[in-house]
Amino acid sequence: MKTPAHKAEAWESADSTFAAHAARRRVPLRGTFELTPRCNFGCKMCYIHMTPADIASQGRQELTAGQWLRVARDAIDNGTLNLMITGGEPLLRDDFAEIYTEINRMGFIIGINTNASLVDEKYHRLFSKYPPSSVSVTLYGADRETYHSITGNGNHFDSTIKGLEYLSDLPTFLEIKATFIKDNKDQLDRMRETANRYTKRFAINFMVFKPVPGVVSQAEKCRLSAKESIDIDISNRMYYNELRRQNKEKKDEADKNAPHDEDEAIRDSKKRDYGLDVYPEVLTCLAAKSAYWISWDGRMLPCATFDTLATEPLKEGFKEAWDRMPSLFKDIKHPQKCVTCEYFLNCPNCPAYFHVETGSFDTVSDYICELARERNERLAEIRNTV
Amino acid sequence: MKIKEGYLLRTIADTNIIVPVSERVIEFKGMIALNDVSAEIWRFLETEREYSEIVDFMVSSYDIEKEAAEKDLDALLKQMNDSGVLES
C-alpha cells in the first residue's frame, strides 16, 4: 500500500507549476470572468471600458446572473480552480453579491480585480463573510488632482483610499498595481508609499495598448514613451533590489550559523516547467493552454486582449468552446522580423498586442519594438555597470 | 472525527485538491494535494468516524495489516490536524 501521507503522485510541485501540469492535460485551470465592461471611472487610457450606450450600440448584452452561474458550474465541471472576477468594475453590477456569493461556494480559489472605490460597509460585510483569496486594486495616482486628470473625477481618489482601508482589514491577500501614463509618471515613489500603507504587495504597469474593437480611448496620446516606461521600471526595480539587499544582510547575519540546505539550492537551480511550450506556442503565456477569459457578453477568449478570437461556451458548450480554442491559432505565426530579432526572447511580442496596435496579428508594432529595445539595452547597461 | 464543513475535495488534472470555500478561506491558505488513497480516506471522513472505523476501512479496502494501516493513518491525521481541517 502507498503511504497515504505521500504527496499526490499526479503532480509533483518541485519541477512543474500546477498550471503547466494542467496545460499539458488541456485542462482550463484558470478562468477570468469579466462581469461587465462598465466602470464608474472614465480612465482616458482604458482599452476595455464601455458605457451602456456603447454596449447598446453594438447590439450586445451583459450576461445575466443566471448565465454567469451556469458558466461557473461548467467551469467547475471542466477543472477550473483559479477564478479571477474582473471588469470594467465588477462591483458596479447590482447583482454582484448574488453572483459572488453563489460562485464562492462552488470550489474556486477566487481573486477580484477592482478599483476599490465602490468597496463600502456592505461589500466589507460580504467579503468578511466570504473572503476572496486575493484582491488586486489598480491605483492611478497619489492625489485627487491626478485621479481627476486620469479617471475624470478627483473624488475617486478619496473613495479608492476608503475602499483600500476596508480591503486591508480583510483576511485576504491584497495587491496594489499602479498603472503609469504621462499624467502620473512622476509619482512612482508617492504611489508606492500610498500602496504600502495597505499592503507590501506593489506592482507596476506601464504598457498601455490601443483599445479593443468597439472601445474609444486616448491611449496613444497619454501613454509613456519607451524611455519613460523603462525609467519607471528600473527605478522600481532598484528600490526593491535595495530592499532585498538590506533584508539579505539581516538574514545572512541571522543565518550565519544555520546549516546550508544543499537540496534546496539544487532544487532552485533546476529549471521549472511552466508549460509555455504547449500549443499554441505562438503565445508566450498560458492563454488557451490552461487559461481563458469569459467576456462580459459570454464569449470565451484566450485573454482580454485577444478580443477577436473567440468561441461561444453558452452556445456550443463550455468543453467544446475550450477544446476548439487552440484551433483559432493555426494560421497565426510570429512575424519574421521578430523571429530574427536579438530581443525575441525578452520582448512582449504577443500576437494579441500586435493586433490591437496594428490591426494584424503578424505586423510588428513600433510601440512594442521600442519598449523591448529600450528595456534590453538599459538592463544590459546596468549589468555592465555592476 | 470528521472533516470540517467548508472544504471541498476536487479532482483537477488527475490531482486531488482540497479547496476551502466561503468562511473557510479565512483559516486556510494554500492548497492540499492528496494521493488517491488519502482522497478515499478524506471522503470516508466527510462523515463522523471513530478511529477504529477508519482503520477497519483501510484494512478492508487495501488488504493491509492493521499495524501498517494505523501507522499510515496516524501520519495522515497529523497532517490533517496540522492543517486544521478536522473538527476538534
Side-chain angles (χ1 to χ4, degrees):
Chain A
M1 177 194 162
K2 298 169 193 169
T3 305
H6 279 173
K7 272 198 291 187
E9 292 182 335
W11 168 60
E12 291 292 338
S13 65
D15 298 326
S16 169
T17 63
F18 191 51
H21 174 79
R24 299 202 182 285
R25 286 154 184 76
R26 286 286 313 144
V27 173
L29 184 73
R30 296 177 176 174
T32 301
F33 286 4
E34 180 193 16
L35 295 189
T36 177
R38 291 174 290 125
C39 186
N40 56 324
F41 287 10
C43 296
K44 54 169 76 172
M45 70 293 191
C46 184
Y47 71 107
I48 211 163
H49 173 200
M50 296 173 85
T51 64
D54 294 333
I55 296 171
S57 72
Q58 294 202 3
R60 294 150 78 187
Q61 285 183 326
E62 291 181 10
L63 295 191
T64 63
Q67 286 173 311
W68 278 118
L69 296 179
R70 180 183 151 194
V71 177
R73 281 189 288 270
D74 288 345
I76 285 281
D77 290 345
N78 283 278
T80 299
L81 177 62
N82 304 95
L83 181 65
M84 180 60 76
I85 295 174
T86 190
E89 173 48 52
L91 304 188
L92 201 54
R93 279 187 71 124
D94 293 336
D95 53 6
F96 176 85
E98 176 191 346
I99 297 170
Y100 176 77
T101 305
E102 200 59 41
I103 282 177
N104 193 279
R105 297 183 179 126
M106 290 184 184
F108 295 110
I109 294 174
I110 295 179
I112 299 175
N113 278 334
T114 174
N115 61 33
S117 68
L118 298 175
V119 179
D120 57 7
E121 187 60 42
K122 180 187 68 174
Y123 281 121
H124 183 257
R125 269 201 307 275
L126 176 69
F127 294 144
S128 295
K129 187 168 185 192
Y130 304 114
S133 291
S134 64
V135 176
S136 182
V137 173
T138 309
L139 189 69
Y140 297 100
D143 52 45
R144 305 179 92 236
E145 292 69 31
T146 313
Y147 261 74
H148 176 78
S149 168
I150 295 177
T151 73
N153 186 338
N155 293 335
H156 289 152
F157 177 71
D158 301 329
S159 51
T160 297
I161 294 299
K162 198 168 177 195
L164 282 170
E165 282 166 5
Y166 280 122
L167 289 172
S168 62
D169 181 51
L170 295 173
T172 196
F173 179 95
L174 177 62
E175 178 191 53
I176 297 181
K177 291 185 292 193
T179 290
F180 288 94
I181 60 173
K182 292 199 183 298
D183 308 52
N184 60 359
K185 71 182 174 66
D186 299 321
Q187 295 197 349
L188 171 62
D189 292 345
R190 288 179 60 209
M191 287 168 74
R192 192 171 49 226
E193 281 168 22
T194 304
N196 285 164
R197 290 208 292 271
Y198 307 100
T199 176
K200 294 296 173 200
R201 296 278 171 179
F202 176 74
I204 65 167
N205 172 48
F206 48 80
M207 292 178 68
V208 172
F209 294 106
K210 293 179 189 173
V212 297
V215 175
V216 177
S217 91
Q218 299 176 44
E220 279 183 279
K221 281 187 197 161
C222 62
R223 68 187 177 190
L224 300 178
S225 69
K227 182 181 179 310
E228 290 168 330
S229 300
I230 305 305
D231 280 347
I232 288 176
D233 186 24
I234 288 176
S235 175
N236 199 46
R237 282 165 187 264
M238 291 178 80
Y239 174 85
Y240 282 105
N241 282 347
E242 176 58 20
L243 214 56
R244 269 192 289 272
R245 192 189 62 75
Q246 290 173 10
N247 287 339
K248 187 170 182 305
E249 276 181 8
K250 283 184 206 158
K251 189 172 181 299
D252 285 351
E253 188 60 32
D255 289 354
K256 214 181 269 177
N257 298 317
H260 180 59
D261 183 348
E262 280 189 32
D263 287 345
E264 189 178 30
I266 291 166
R267 246 190 342 263
D268 288 348
S269 68
K270 276 188 180 176
K271 194 176 175 192
R272 293 186 88 192
D273 174 21
Y274 292 96
L276 302 180
D277 58 330
V278 172
Y279 182 82
E281 300 95 327
V282 72
L283 299 183
T284 53
C285 63
L286 287 169
K289 299 171 187 175
S290 61
Y292 65 91
W293 176 288
I294 305 293
S295 65
W296 54 274
D297 54 352
R299 294 170 299 141
M300 181 184 280
L301 315 173
C303 72
T305 321
F306 268 113
D307 192 70
T308 54
L309 294 181
T311 55
E312 300 278 357
L314 285 167
K315 292 178 186 162
E316 58 190 301
F318 189 99
K319 184 176 188 316
E320 290 74 10
W322 169 250
D323 287 346
R324 194 163 68 80
M325 187 162 284
S327 70
L328 304 178
F329 292 87
K330 64 181 170 25
D331 297 324
I332 299 177
K333 295 182 173 59
H334 288 297
Q336 192 56 30
K337 186 180 171 188
C338 284
V339 178
T340 56
C341 176
E342 63 181 305
Y343 304 131
F344 178 62
L345 295 177
N346 294 302
C347 171
N349 48 17
C350 173
Y353 296 160
F354 289 159
H355 193 266
V356 290
E357 286 296 312
T358 71
S360 157
F361 288 117
D362 54 10
T363 301
V364 172
S365 148
D366 290 342
Y367 173 64
I368 292 169
C369 278
E370 283 164 21
L371 275 176
R373 189 180 307 113
E374 184 76 19
R375 181 173 182 276
N376 281 279
E377 289 178 2
R378 296 276 296 281
L379 290 180
E381 268 173 37
I382 290 172
R383 277 194 293 272
N384 290 338
T385 309
V386 172
Chain B
M1 68 190 79
K2 182 177 180 290
I3 300 290
K4 287 178 183 170
E5 294 291 324
Y7 288 103
L8 294 182
L9 169 58
R10 297 188 58 197
T11 301
I12 298 172
D14 308 323
T15 305
N16 303 303
I17 293 170
I18 304 304
V19 185
V21 295
S22 303
E23 295 93 331
R24 290 294 173 216
V25 175
I26 298 171
E27 60 193 66
F28 182 85
K29 306 287 180 200
M31 195 166 84
I32 299 176
L34 300 176
N35 67 19
D36 289 343
V37 177
S38 300
E40 274 298 306
I41 296 169
W42 179 283
R43 287 189 197 95
F44 194 66
L45 274 168
E46 286 174 342
T47 305
E48 177 70 39
R49 305 286 182 183
E50 295 294 328
Y51 181 86
S52 58
E53 268 185 277
I54 312 168
V55 173
D56 291 346
F57 168 74
M58 291 171 72
V59 168
S60 62
S61 299
Y62 303 108
D63 192 23
I64 52 171
E65 298 295 324
K66 188 180 173 197
E67 290 72 25
E70 284 176 348
K71 189 178 166 205
D72 289 345
L73 179 59
D74 289 348
L76 179 64
L77 291 178
K78 180 177 185 319
Q79 286 192 341
M80 287 178 164
N81 266 320
D82 290 348
S83 303
V85 298
L86 287 178
E87 280 184 357
S88 50

